[in-house]
């Protein structure tokens, strides 16, 4: 049984008031709130075990290096990687995609090669490829999605061919919620010899990932969205691929031997982790992922699925409200249009009622435009979202309608 | 309407709903900006909604004054523009430089619109107006 009231007690920020109203936080897709255990880890490590990692041969350094590497093990378990050496710490998913583009793209792509992405990508999984297109003369192909946000297999297969060297697709759209059938798409990409990168930023928050089952070559997500601290993210890469890649940034901690003439690089993941990382944030990310896994995927997904159905029904009852993104398989994000009222006006009034939602192009401007908008309002849920949150949101939307 | 009058009107409201309804009303009564002026040239960047500001320089009694026209595709921001225009329009560049918008918005009880996230672009609008005042 999923006791939402108990879960909510783990998140201190949910108790605060906003404009004198209960904190109705519906912007988890942008960044999630943090459970007490994550906050405690940050305090505990800074108060009792802090030093730099991988450097000193003294007690504190060994302690913290142990914790830092344990967190890597937790991440390995979280996505079921074959080895923790395949887990690279980054600042966030954006850095992970830049790393792939730089360390793999610049070394393995040449003029005429193609990179294939979907219409539903976040700028983080779009702009790095545009830059490679302009620098290397590769082609950037973009497969279409349906008007309701659904994946269309034919559109994908139409653009997948022997020239495709990399497919990079989100597992769950941050605007439409659409879930892409990654496992099948990976196997189709591999048939033409392309590698496959997964943007798991949203998916990782809501559903269990198995990189070995998916057989993807890269996968990225951000710690701050999976209830962990900001400043740390994850890039998974298959060892056979990582081994062939050159460093992304260079400096301390990523080398094997250095002389003034020559440097040999360390093995992955160190090769890609130049400089002092977000040590304590990484450790606290471990706490966050453990927290999610302790709740259990089946329970977490069942709770969120129930909310998705509940929210969809309530939203559909509001006159003039249109949900943007109604793919049969979708996660807990609701982009919507309310009678053509500007998303920002909606958000201003919701804010007055203590309800936080996101507006704008959601860093997926081409997608928002493709759906026919300049700006969209989006509510999104997390494991701490309750039916009461949805009720307050719906009431606040009725209030918005009363203004226009 | 001059800004003093607006401040007095806003003082009449004791809840945010009435204040916002009035704000939206102010926006609705803003004179229409001709479609041709809804162009990139007059767009204020850094706003979550689209905002346009057009300066018109006039001479009056040997003094240079700047009038502003404006528009937005969002209703509340349009209301904010109406206030911004009544603060800044028909002023000399020197006067524009000296106006303290923060104080005025605090008096209006709309301080939340001064947030540094510039979500409604009040900061961006003020910057743009000051910029025009410095070059025109
Ligand atoms: C689908 C998706 N990809 C990538 C990102 C980028 O994440 P970050 O800003 O943490 O790098 C986000 C975050 O908004 C996202 O939702």
């Amino acid at each position: 049984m999923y006791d939402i009231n108990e879960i909510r007690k783990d998140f201190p920020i949910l108790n605060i008031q906003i404009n004198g109203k209960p904190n109705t936080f519906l912007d988890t897709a942008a960044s999630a709130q943090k459970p007490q255990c994550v906050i405690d880890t940050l305090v505990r490590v800074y108060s009792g075990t802090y030093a730099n990692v991988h450097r000193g041969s003294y007690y504190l350094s060994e302690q913290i290096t142990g914790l830092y590497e344990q967190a890597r093990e937790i991440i390995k378990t979280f996505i079921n990687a074959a080895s923790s050496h395949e887990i690279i710490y980054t600042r966030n998913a954006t850095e992970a995609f830049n790393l792939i583009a730089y360390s793999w793209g610049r070394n393995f792509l040449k003029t005429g090669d193609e990179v294939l992405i979907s219409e539903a990508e976040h700028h983080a999984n779009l702009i790095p490829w545009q830059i490679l297109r302009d620098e290397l003369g590769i082609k950037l192909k973009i497969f279409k999605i349906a008007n309701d946000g659904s994946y269309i297999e034919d559109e994908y297969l139409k653009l997948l061919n022997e020239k495709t060297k990399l497919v990079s697709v989100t597992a769950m759209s941050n605007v439409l919620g659409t879930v892409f059938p990654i496992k099948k798409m990976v196997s189709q990409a591999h048939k033409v010899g392309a590698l496959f990168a997964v943007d798991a930023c949203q998916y990782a928050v809501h559903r269990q990932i198995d990189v070995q089952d998916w057989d993807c070559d890269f996968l990225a997500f951000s710690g701050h969205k999976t209830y962990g601290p900001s400043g740390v993210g994850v890039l998974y890469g298959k060892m056979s691929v990582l081994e062939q890649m050159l460093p992304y940034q260079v400096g301390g901690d990523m080398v094997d031997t250095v002389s003034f003439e020559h440097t040999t690089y360390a093995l992955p993941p160190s090769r890609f982790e130049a400089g002092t990382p977000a040590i304590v944030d990484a450790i606290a990310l471990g706490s966050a992922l453990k927290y999610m896994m302790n709740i259990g995927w089946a329970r977490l997904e069942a709770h969120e699925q129930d909310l998705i159905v509940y929210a969809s029904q309530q939203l559909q009852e509001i006159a003039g409200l249109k949900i943007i993104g109604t793919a049969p398989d979708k996660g807990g994000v609701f982009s919507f249009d309310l009678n053509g009222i500007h998303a920002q006006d909606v958000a201003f009034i919701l804010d007055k009622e203590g309800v936080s939602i996101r507006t704008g192009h959601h860093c997926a401007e081409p997608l928002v435009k493709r759906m026919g908008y300049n700006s969209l309002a989006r509510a999104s849920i997390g494991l701490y979202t309750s039916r009461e949150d949805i009720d307050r949101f719906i009431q606040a939307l009725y209030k918005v309608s009363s203004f226009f | 309407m001059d800004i003093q009058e607006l401040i007095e009107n806003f003082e009449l409201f004791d809840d945010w709903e009435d204040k916002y309804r009035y704000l939206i009303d102010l926006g609705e009564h803003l004179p229409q900006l001709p479609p041709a002026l809804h162009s990139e040239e007059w767009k204020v960047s850094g706003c979550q909604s689209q905002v346009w500001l057009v300066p018109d320089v006039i001479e009056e009694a040997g003094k240079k004054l700047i009038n502003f026209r404006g528009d937005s595709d969002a209703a509340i921001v349009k209301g904010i523009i109406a206030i911004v225009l009544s603060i800044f329009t028909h002023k000399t560049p020197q006067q524009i430089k000296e106006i303290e918008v923060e104080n005025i918005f605090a008096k209006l009880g709309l301080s939340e619109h001064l947030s540094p996230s510039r979500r409604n672009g009040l900061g961006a609008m003020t910057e743009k107006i000051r910029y025009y005042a410095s070059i025109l």
Side-chain angles (χ1 to χ4, degrees):
Chain A
M1 157 67 194
Y2 195 88
D3 190 342
I4 183 66
N5 292 322
E6 283 304 311
I7 299 262
R8 287 175 71 83
K9 283 186 196 151
D10 295 335
F11 292 82
I13 204 168
L14 297 180
N15 288 323
I16 68 162
Q17 300 230 312
I18 291 175
N19 292 319
K21 304 279 167 60
N23 177 7
T24 305
F25 185 76
L26 293 174
D27 197 19
T28 296
S31 203
Q33 299 299 350
K34 318 305 173 201
Q36 191 64 49
C37 64
V38 167
I39 301 165
D40 288 346
T41 298
L42 293 169
V43 174
R44 191 160 22 83
V45 175
Y46 277 123
S47 324
T49 349
Y50 187 74
N52 209 332
V53 285
H54 300 144
R55 304 258 167 106
S57 42
Y58 52 86
Y59 177 79
L60 283 178
S61 179
E62 276 161 14
Q63 290 292 303
I64 196 159
T65 302
L67 293 173
Y68 182 72
E69 291 306 321
Q70 260 169 36
R72 208 190 292 272
E73 289 291 332
I74 297 170
I75 297 165
K76 177 207 126 180
T77 307
F78 184 77
I79 61 171
N80 194 33
S83 153
S84 62
H85 298 304
E86 298 177 319
I87 307 297
I88 300 162
Y89 286 124
T90 62
R91 280 191 299 131
N92 46 39
T94 300
E95 188 176 51
F97 281 103
N98 279 276
L99 196 163
I100 302 172
Y102 189 93
S103 296
W104 181 83
R106 277 192 176 67
N107 289 307
F108 288 95
L109 292 174
K110 48 186 195 323
T111 311
D113 286 347
E114 297 181 4
V115 169
L116 178 57
I117 65 174
S118 85
E119 264 184 332
E121 300 308 320
H122 188 280
H123 294 170
N125 187 25
L126 166 63
I127 302 172
W129 314 123
Q130 288 179 335
I131 290 180
L132 285 192
R133 176 196 64 198
D134 298 344
E135 276 185 20
L136 305 176
I138 61 162
K139 292 209 174 82
L140 177 59
K141 297 281 186 170
I142 301 173
F143 69 89
K144 291 192 166 24
I145 54 167
N147 288 336
D148 70 351
S150 300
Y151 167 70
I152 305 173
E153 186 174 47
D154 283 349
E155 294 290 342
Y156 171 54
L157 294 180
K158 221 160 67 187
L159 296 184
L160 186 66
N161 62 58
E162 282 68 38
K163 282 185 250 145
T164 314
K165 292 294 176 285
L166 177 75
V167 180
S168 193
V169 172
T170 185
M172 184 185 285
S173 158
N174 62 314
V175 176
L176 307 169
T178 311
V179 173
F180 288 77
I182 296 297
K183 184 176 174 174
K184 188 165 183 204
M185 293 173 76
V186 171
S187 108
Q188 288 161 331
H190 284 169
K191 283 203 187 95
V192 300
L195 297 190
F196 202 105
V198 181
D199 178 352
C201 268
Q202 297 297 331
Y203 196 95
V205 185
H206 306 289
R207 295 192 189 182
Q208 186 168 14
I209 291 170
D210 186 335
V211 289
Q212 294 187 75
D213 180 48
W214 283 357
D215 198 27
C216 53
D217 302 281
F218 297 106
L219 178 137
F221 66 94
S222 285
H224 66 92
K225 293 189 203 267
T226 55
Y227 309 98
S230 53
V232 64
V234 172
L235 172 63
Y236 158 84
K238 252 186 213 164
M239 188 47 76
S240 55
V241 180
L242 293 181
E243 277 170 349
Q244 302 176 47
M245 288 162 49
L246 291 175
Y248 168 54
Q249 292 180 332
V250 292
D253 245 6
M254 46 72 66
V255 288
D256 184 14
T257 61
V258 185
S259 66
F260 282 115
E261 293 74 34
H262 190 69
T263 297
T264 51
Y265 301 117
L267 293 173
S270 310
R271 185 183 298 170
F272 306 103
E273 294 179 345
T276 298
I279 304 166
V280 187
D281 299 317
I283 297 169
L285 173 58
S287 304
L289 301 183
K290 227 158 69 184
Y291 177 82
M292 293 176 76
M293 290 188 282
N294 283 343
I295 289 176
W297 284 109
R299 295 166 71 225
L300 190 154
E301 285 182 28
H303 170 71
E304 292 192 356
Q305 203 51 45
D306 173 67
L307 279 179
I308 290 169
V309 172
Y310 183 68
S312 305
Q313 281 167 353
Q314 305 276 315
L315 285 168
Q316 272 155 15
E317 279 174 23
I318 299 178
L321 189 138
K322 180 164 181 243
I323 299 174
I324 315 300
T326 50
D329 191 8
K330 74 172 271 182
V333 308
F334 296 96
S335 290
F336 61 92
D337 174 61
L338 179 58
N339 275 320
I341 302 167
H342 197 286
Q344 199 187 25
D345 290 322
V346 175
F348 273 148
I349 293 171
L350 291 184
D351 180 48
K352 285 288 188 185
E353 294 290 301
V355 180
S356 309
I357 63 157
R358 170 92 191 257
T359 62
H361 53 57
H362 310 276
C363 298
E365 196 171 338
L367 173 62
V368 170
K369 293 243 162 79
R370 180 249 174 271
M371 301 309 285
Y373 296 89
N374 281 318
S375 175
L376 273 177
R378 177 193 71 188
S380 56
I381 63 165
L383 60 83
Y384 41 63
T385 308
S386 65
R387 281 190 171 223
E388 288 72 29
D389 284 327
I390 305 296
D391 293 340
R392 284 193 292 267
F393 169 49
I394 299 292
Q395 283 316 307
L397 284 176
Y398 280 113
K399 176 153 276 174
V400 173
S401 295
S402 80
F403 272 81
F404 296 94
Chain B
M1 206 178 311
D2 80 4
I3 188 65
Q4 205 46 47
E5 233 176 298
L6 274 178
I7 292 172
E8 281 160 25
N9 288 350
F10 269 95
E11 273 168 0
L12 299 173
F13 305 123
D14 37 34
D15 74 1
W16 72 266
E17 290 188 36
D18 293 338
K19 205 177 267 180
Y20 270 54
R21 284 182 209 284
Y22 183 56
L23 199 52
I24 292 167
D25 200 49
L26 286 176
E28 278 169 2
H29 288 92
L30 206 59
Q32 289 241 328
L33 193 66
L37 294 175
H38 289 108
S39 64
E40 280 306 311
E41 185 178 5
W42 306 115
K43 215 164 180 173
V44 180
S45 60
C47 309
Q48 280 211 7
S49 48
Q50 303 191 74
V51 171
W52 298 271
L53 275 178
V54 185
D56 302 297
V57 181
I58 56 159
E59 290 266 331
E60 221 176 73
K63 266 196 310 193
K64 184 164 82 178
L65 298 173
I66 307 178
N67 285 336
F68 289 95
R69 290 177 287 169
D71 198 5
S72 169
D73 57 346
I76 294 170
V77 169
K78 207 165 161 184
I80 300 281
I81 294 175
I83 296 175
V84 167
L85 295 190
S86 64
I87 295 173
F88 285 106
T89 209
H90 214 64
K91 298 272 185 318
T92 66
Q94 186 57 30
Q95 284 171 320
I96 288 174
K97 227 163 74 189
E98 286 163 4
I99 292 171
E100 291 186 18
V101 205
E102 289 77 9
N103 284 345
I104 299 172
F105 271 78
K107 278 189 200 150
L108 291 164
L110 292 170
S111 315
E112 71 256 34
H113 291 281
L114 298 165
S115 85
S117 81
R118 300 206 296 181
R119 52 189 182 156
N120 58 10
L122 177 57
M125 283 181 228
T126 318
E127 251 173 55
K128 192 82 187 233
I129 287 175
R130 296 224 165 96
Y131 166 75
Y132 285 133
S134 72
I135 59 157
L136 290 174

